[in-house]
Amino acid sequence: MLKRTWLCGLLLALLLPVAARADEGMWLPLLVKRLNQADMQKKGLKLTAEEIYDVNNASLKDAVVQLGGFCTGEFVSKQGLLLTNHHCGYDAIQSHSTTQNNILQNGFFAATKQDELQNPGLFVDILVRMEDVTGKVLEGITPQTPELTRAATIQQRQRELGNAAKENGQYVAYVRDFFGGNEYYLFVYQRFGDVRLVGAPPEAVGKFGGDTDNWMWPRHTGDFSMFRVYADKNNKPTASYAADNQPYVPKKHLPVSLQGINEGDFAMVFGFPGRTQRFLPAAGLQMTLEQSNPARIKLRDTRLKLWKEDMDRDPALRLAYSSKYANIANYWKYYIGQNEGMKRLKTVDQKKAEEAALAQWIAADATRTEQYGTVLNDINQAYAGLREYNLSSQYVNEAAFGTEIVTLAARMLPIYMAFKGTGPVAPDPAAARKAAEDLKAPVEEHFKDYSAATDKKVFAALMNLYMQDVPKEQLPEVFQTVQKQYGGSMQKYADYVFANSFLTSKAKVDAFLAAPTQAKLEADPGFKTYYSIYTNYLQNILPKMQGLQASLMRANRLYVAALREKNTQKVYSPDANSTIRLSYGTVRAYKGRDAVNYQYYTTAQGILEKQDNSNPEFVVPQKEEQLLTGKDYGRFADKDGTLHVAFITDNDITGGNSGSPVINGRGELIGLAFDGNWEAMTGDLAYDPELKRCINADIRYVLWCIEKLGGAKHIVDEMTIVDNGPNPNASTVSAPNEVDGKTQKIKVKTKKKGKEAATI
């Protein structure tokens, strides 16, 4: 995350002739024309840079949204119809499910707009514009500026620029740093708070393969769900549901291609990747490999096993915990794969070699030595200090907050602090009552999917590991209570907490919120457990880590600057940070290991080959089995006569890209990105150009699931379907696309049985 050596270094780097790797990089759409357009066109892009990103006219950026702050979606109709992944919509689908009407299990497609389901709290953000504000943020700051002054000045300017761009609440706006704090960009969005569930396949389709196939190729998962965005009568954003809201008319929606794909075809992924750390130094990688990931894996594995025991015994509990289980399991397996990949690919050794070369380059020049000479040593010293406290931090997050009673107790903190007062802030009972009132809706949501008996098992197990694994001198005082009063038995302490805390009962929590008191919180063993952990972390762990992280922040900024200054022939893309990006590449097979060569697509035959109705992960619904056995593929069959289910590309993606559109060279939707492959699980830390793959649901299988399996042809009919035929080298088909209420024509070449294709 950086520029070069100072602001002038950035300008120099941008002017130098460079050769970018087409496959690696999550690029800012604003910079495509300058950095990527020529390379993209060589690979097969037919669009101009302005058709990808334009502030004043409709472009691809207007068709792509951030969903809920955690996933990506794309408009596929002029009526605000939105496609994303099944696992992105999973929580919403589960929230509407009951044991009597289990739409998670059975699937759901709204017959009319009146049947679409509300989702309070779910929103989408649509990018209005982005702007390079590096000069404004860093104005007057020099290498001699004290680090604390630098940080405070930058934070203030970020807030000011973001607040000014909001235009009195009309927009959501913020400034994010890039390249370790060497560049800054402003992002301005419209936020729509009325997002309704339109459809989803049965869980057996949307999650086919379950944890076994997760992060694996080949895949046969129909990982999609559908929502609709609503606006007011003037097509402007609304904060929440209203009966008179109307389907939003997007400036741009993606035409959907039935042509299919071939190996070597251009592919672009547009979305909101969450977080990568490709500038993480060797010491950081080593701490991740040896300390952070093993702790996460161990604690999540413990939680998942205990949850699954109870879920397998109780269908109602399985439904209640299904979304929580899926969320935790996803990155539990990811951390396992990441560690295996780091060992297999010797990622730490590669980074050490890169740092050794950087050290030589720095030492070869007096000016560079003056500016960067202590950087690598500063980094290593900071990580040596962080390793002493990192385990405590991991166990607070994964053990303490892995229990639901602790997370609920943490929600009570604003009430407690308002009653108690802090420092110069006097107690404010009115603020405490307001905080209690604000908690009523979240508490309702919490207890909808909660089992105190299950949580007690998790609490006893995770807190026992916390007590055993974290250095004794760093443990909260509550663990001394366990030792002295309960003989060191966390199970006995759990029995006491869950028998005496009001936090395990919705009725008791509701009663507390109706008449909250400081004394009630101070007497509650669940809250006391949380507060002991919280204050210990705040007083004994966090200050030490913050001091180390402050020195690390400066060292990292200079480290990335030195790398970019040294490697002027390379265009670095910034680490992902949940801002809008695109990556580009091609449809591409790969060799997974010795004698194992993977094809670039899968077909419906693979669903039947994996079918095992005795295993919940590989159940095939009866209707789907009948359709597939009868080869009833309709217009969604490939030219080879099969129904393609998924395909892979070498696009660079990460978490947050889930639901991203996979777009061909003509700007048409060909798939939904939903996963990465096991062999390249180090991708967030180090990119592997040979193994990195993006796993995508073929849009034709998605449409087949909606129309043939789900019986919802009316939803497909709402989309702009483009069928270019098997050989797109002849005449022109015009696909309508709504832009600001007007119809534009997207020209694509096609030939169909020797005749000009009709206008759709």
Side-chain angles (χ1 to χ4, degrees):
M1 303 155 93
L2 179 93
K3 55 184 175 196
R4 192 187 92 112
T5 165
W6 215 233
L7 199 54
C8 61
L10 168 64
L11 298 175
L12 175 61
L14 294 177
L15 293 172
L16 288 171
V18 292
R21 277 198 59 85
D23 302 334
E24 178 180 3
M26 302 174 194
W27 304 95
L28 291 167
L30 176 68
L31 305 179
V32 162
K33 186 170 187 177
R34 184 174 65 197
L35 298 180
N36 313 107
Q37 183 178 10
D39 199 36
M40 293 170 74
Q41 289 174 338
K42 289 178 183 177
K43 284 187 169 290
L45 177 69
K46 307 300 182 186
L47 305 177
T48 65
E50 290 74 19
E51 289 174 303
I52 294 172
Y53 176 88
D54 195 312
V55 174
N56 300 313
N57 299 291
S59 57
L60 288 184
K61 76 167 177 62
D62 299 302
V64 181
V65 309
Q66 187 171 41
L67 175 66
F70 52 81
C71 273
T72 301
E74 57 275 353
F75 289 118
V76 290
S77 87
K78 63 181 179 181
Q79 299 178 60
L81 188 63
L82 197 72
L83 263 177
T84 188
N85 284 157
H86 184 268
H87 71 263
C88 294
Y90 198 92
D91 188 60
I93 302 163
Q94 183 264 345
S95 72
H96 292 293
S97 298
T98 65
T99 52
Q100 295 76 31
N101 182 28
N102 193 339
I103 67 171
L104 181 66
Q105 177 179 312
N106 302 324
F108 164 79
F109 291 99
T112 68
K113 292 183 177 64
Q114 288 69 40
D115 298 314
E116 295 169 0
L117 304 176
Q118 302 172 37
N119 299 283
L122 186 62
F123 63 88
V124 301
D125 286 342
I126 305 174
L127 182 69
V128 176
R129 64 183 177 89
M130 57 183 297
E131 178 186 347
D132 183 350
V133 292
T134 304
K136 296 177 182 178
V137 172
L138 296 182
E139 184 179 4
I141 293 175
T142 71
Q144 289 72 43
T145 302
E147 199 65 20
L148 291 178
T149 303
R150 183 186 198 278
T153 302
I154 287 173
Q155 289 176 6
Q156 180 181 349
R157 290 173 178 175
Q158 285 180 283
R159 285 194 300 269
E160 290 172 350
L161 288 166
N163 289 337
K166 292 176 183 178
E167 297 186 17
N168 297 318
Q170 183 177 352
Y171 301 107
V172 172
Y174 47 78
V175 175
R176 291 274 169 84
D177 70 282
F178 293 78
F179 296 112
N182 288 272
E183 296 181 25
Y184 292 84
Y185 287 80
L186 169 70
F187 297 85
V188 182
Y189 298 92
Q190 284 188 309
R191 175 165 293 180
F192 293 76
D194 186 357
V195 183
R196 306 179 197 178
L197 180 64
V198 174
E203 184 179 22
V205 174
K207 201 181 173 185
F208 185 76
D211 291 333
T212 300
D213 274 5
N214 192 23
W215 302 107
M216 297 291 183
W217 179 258
R219 291 295 287 278
H220 300 84
T221 312
D223 198 345
F224 77 94
S225 60
M226 309 186 75
F227 293 82
R228 193 183 305 279
V229 177
Y230 281 76
D232 67 15
K233 62 182 181 180
N234 298 315
N235 208 41
K236 300 297 183 182
T238 60
S240 59
Y241 168 85
D244 59 349
N245 283 348
Q246 303 294 316
Y248 172 63
V249 180
K251 293 181 179 179
K252 172 81 173 178
H253 71 272
L254 299 178
V256 180
S257 173
L258 295 185
Q259 183 183 356
I261 49 94
N262 297 299
E263 187 162 19
D265 282 357
F266 175 85
M268 174 167 53
V269 172
F270 222 127
F272 292 82
R275 181 67 61 181
T276 57
Q277 294 179 289
R278 291 188 182 156
F279 293 106
L280 193 66
L285 291 170
Q286 202 149 6
M287 188 172 78
T288 299
L289 176 67
E290 297 173 354
Q291 199 177 66
S292 300
N293 279 355
R296 294 163 179 158
I297 293 164
K298 178 179 182 178
L299 294 168
R300 291 193 177 209
D301 185 64
T302 301
R303 188 172 12 160
L304 290 169
K305 285 177 179 175
L306 292 171
W307 278 356
K308 193 170 189 305
E309 286 177 4
D310 288 5
M311 292 168 71
D312 287 346
R313 283 195 293 263
D314 185 349
L317 188 69
R318 180 189 180 277
L319 178 59
Y321 273 69
S322 57
S323 181
K324 291 185 277 194
Y325 186 96
N327 287 337
I328 298 303
N330 186 39
Y331 269 81
W332 161 75
K333 189 169 183 179
Y334 168 86
Y335 295 134
I336 294 172
Q338 187 179 75
N339 263 25
E340 288 185 8
M342 288 174 72
K343 294 173 185 175
R344 184 178 65 251
L345 300 174
K346 301 185 185 302
T347 307
V348 175
D349 291 341
Q350 291 180 24
K351 185 66 74 167
K352 285 181 177 179
E354 180 183 85
E355 290 175 10
L358 181 65
Q360 287 184 338
W361 175 82
I362 293 171
D365 180 86
T367 302
R368 296 197 293 257
T369 300
E370 181 180 359
Q371 186 166 4
Y372 304 124
T374 67
V375 164
L376 293 173
N377 185 60
D378 291 345
I379 286 172
N380 291 332
Q381 284 189 353
Y383 274 108
L386 286 171
R387 283 179 74 105
E388 294 184 29
Y389 301 97
N390 180 50
L391 207 58
S392 283
S393 179
Q394 296 299 330
Y395 272 70
V396 168
N397 289 326
E398 296 285 349
F401 284 98
T403 67
E404 295 167 275
I405 190 173
V406 171
T407 59
L408 182 58
R411 287 182 172 272
M412 302 291 162
L413 184 64
I415 302 174
Y416 182 68
M417 299 310 292
F419 274 128
K420 184 180 179 182
T422 55
V425 180
D428 188 346
R433 290 190 290 271
K434 174 64 167 61
E437 183 67 28
D438 292 342
L439 262 186
K440 290 181 178 179
V443 164
E444 183 81 24
E445 184 69 19
H446 171 85
F447 280 103
K448 176 180 179 290
D449 300 318
Y450 179 69
S451 164
T454 300
D455 194 29
K456 184 170 81 168
K457 291 166 61 176
V458 172
F459 179 92
L462 294 188
M463 297 295 276
N464 190 56
L465 291 172
Y466 191 164
M467 186 168 61
Q468 290 177 0
D469 295 350
V470 170
K472 302 303 180 192
E473 66 275 10
Q474 296 179 24
L475 287 174
E477 187 176 346
V478 66
F479 291 111
Q480 296 179 23
T481 301
V482 175
Q483 293 292 344
K484 294 175 182 177
Q485 298 183 23
Y486 299 92
S489 171
M490 191 58 72
Q491 183 59 60
K492 291 180 181 179
Y493 181 67
D495 291 340
Y496 164 73
V497 169
F498 279 76
N500 293 279
S501 174
F502 72 82
L503 295 169
T504 62
S505 162
K506 182 178 184 300
K508 292 179 180 178
V509 172
D510 287 344
F512 169 78
L513 295 178
T517 67
Q518 179 180 343
K520 181 74 171 175
L521 282 172
E522 289 178 338
D524 186 89
F527 183 79
K528 285 199 294 186
T529 300
Y530 155 71
Y531 196 67
S532 176
I533 294 167
Y534 167 73
T535 54
N536 178 69
Y537 182 75
L538 203 63
Q539 295 169 8
N540 302 323
I541 307 301
L542 185 60
K544 296 179 176 65
M545 295 189 71
Q546 283 179 327
L548 293 162
Q549 287 166 343
S551 62
L552 183 61
M553 184 180 299
R554 176 183 181 279
N556 276 337
R557 185 173 68 250
L558 294 174
Y559 167 64
V560 179
L563 280 176
R564 295 178 77 196
E565 186 177 351
K566 174 181 180 290
N567 301 314
T568 54
Q569 78 288 351
K570 178 177 181 178
V571 176
Y572 286 95
S573 68
D575 271 323
N577 59 2
S578 294
T579 57
I580 192 166
R581 307 291 182 89
L582 66 83
S583 69
Y584 60 97
T586 58
V587 176
R588 186 179 170 198
Y590 74 103
K591 180 177 181 179
R593 55 188 183 276
D594 185 47
V596 178
N597 295 297
Y598 288 117
Q599 189 165 272
Y600 67 91
Y601 68 92
T602 61
T603 72
Q605 181 61 32
I607 298 174
L608 299 176
E609 290 172 353
K610 288 181 176 179
Q611 181 178 11
D612 178 0
N613 287 355
S614 67
N615 182 343
E617 293 186 333
F618 293 98
V619 170
V620 177
Q622 183 179 7
K623 183 177 181 181
E624 183 178 29
E625 181 181 4
Q626 291 173 345
L627 290 169
L628 297 182
T629 302
K631 300 186 185 304
D632 187 356
Y633 307 146
R635 56 180 169 154
F636 308 113
D638 190 75
K639 55 184 175 292
D640 63 9
T642 65
L643 178 63
H644 287 207
V645 174
F647 64 96
I648 50 175
T649 65
D650 56 14
N651 290 87
D652 196 359
I653 64 160
T654 189
N657 272 123
S658 292
S660 290
V662 188
I663 302 169
N664 66 15
R666 294 183 298 269
E668 301 160 350
L669 185 66
I670 56 174
L672 304 180
F674 72 89
D675 213 349
N677 61 318
W678 188 254
E679 295 86 355
M681 296 294 283
T682 59
D684 285 354
L685 305 174
Y687 181 84
D688 189 315
E690 295 304 318
L691 292 177
K692 178 75 170 177
R693 292 296 181 274
C694 172
I695 302 175
N696 315 291
D698 193 303
I699 196 61
R700 294 169 298 174
Y701 181 60
V702 171
L703 298 181
W704 180 87
C705 287
I706 299 168
E707 181 174 311
K708 303 290 285 187
L709 180 62
K713 185 176 183 294
H714 62 285
I715 295 178
V716 178
D717 289 344
E718 185 182 322
M719 304 178 197
T720 300
I721 304 297
V722 179
D723 187 353
N724 296 307
N727 184 9
N729 293 314
S731 55
T732 300
V733 58
S734 298
N737 201 2
E738 200 74 12
V739 179
D740 290 331
K742 299 178 181 179
T743 299
Q744 67 173 4
K745 300 291 184 178
I746 297 177
K747 293 185 177 181
V748 293
K749 296 181 178 180
T750 185
K751 185 166 92 174
K752 190 173 182 181
K753 296 184 180 179
K755 297 182 179 179
E756 182 171 296
T759 298
I760 299 176

